[in-house]
Amino acid sequence: MKKSIKHAGQILFFCVWFMLLFSTSAQAYIDPAATSYLVQIISGVVIACGVVVGVFWKKIKLFFQKKKMKNIEKSIEKKAASK
């Protein structure tokens, strides 16, 4: 398993260096409309992530509170058992 991962890494390394050595510049032009599309995409992703967190905020909060409560209960049980 480790040999195959190492071998795949070596092949990937060789391919990346091969592409970098033999590539040419594109001489491309990025117009302002393309830039505005990128800004819209990024802002849409940020807003969507905010909505998801907002919708599930109570569940996220309760999840961490339950973990905290379990840790507190365990520490109280340990203190009670040691006495």
Side-chain angles (χ1 to χ4, degrees), residues 14-56:
F14 174 75
C15 290
V16 168
W17 277 108
F18 186 79
M19 286 189 303
L20 289 174
L21 286 174
F22 296 107
S23 64
T24 59
S25 59
Q27 303 294 331
Y29 171 73
I30 298 176
D31 63 338
T35 308
S36 69
Y37 289 143
L38 288 175
V39 170
Q40 288 176 12
I41 290 168
I42 292 170
S43 62
V45 168
V46 169
I47 291 170
C49 290
V51 168
V52 168
V53 170
V55 168
F56 294 110

Side-chain angles (χ1 to χ4, degrees), residues 61-75:
K61 199 169 153 182
L62 286 174
F63 175 75
F64 287 112
Q65 284 179 349
K66 284 181 183 178
K67 280 194 167 190
K68 187 176 180 182
M69 290 300 290
K70 286 181 183 179
N71 290 336
I72 292 172
E73 288 173 356
K74 285 181 184 179
S75 65

